[in-house]
Amino acid sequence: VSHTNELVVMTEQKGIIRWDGYEVIVSTSHKNSIPHVHPWSGVLYEDDRSRIWTAYPESGIVVSSENGFNQITTSSGLLSDVVTNIINDDNGNIFITTDRSLSMISPSGKIYTATKSNGLLNYGFTRKSAFKTRTGEILIGSRDGVTVITTEKDEHEESSGTVRTAG
């Protein structure tokens, strides 16, 4: 369910289907440009800019927007194509957990990555365990505890923040 209370489904054959409770809208204008991926989604997320982020098993992420589709994989900068969570903060950053890291994609598209060497508890993020609190913190569960992310924008409109773990 989207942040506008629409049911959103991405299909391999029809593209993106939205239902607002009254009308079904099929967005097929870019369906032929969807990269060939596994026929079912592991993680589906709509960000605050109405882009649909879909993670397929071991195929990275497909991002759908009004401009078409974009695939993000290890060749784009992720450490792994096995995605477990996708969530955005209040500053337009997208956080992605994989079986090997925590990555942040900034609004400009730059990918930053944290691993155990940066203080993460482990790589065992629990699938679909990301949550944003009312205060804007992001909580992501793992087999050893929880990772808490807080971000803020500086005067250059770049995001910075802290990653804390509790386990």
Side-chain angles (χ1 to χ4, degrees), residues 77-79 94-98 101-105 111-114:
L78 294 178
L79 288 186
I94 301 292
F95 290 90
I96 298 165
T97 60
T98 72
S101 65
L102 166 68
S103 294
M104 181 188 87
I105 301 177
I111 299 176
Y112 301 90
T113 300

Side-chain angles (χ1 to χ4, degrees), residues 55-68:
Y56 295 91
E58 300 182 21
S59 298
I61 300 168
V62 174
V63 183
S64 168
S65 68
E66 292 179 358
N67 300 324

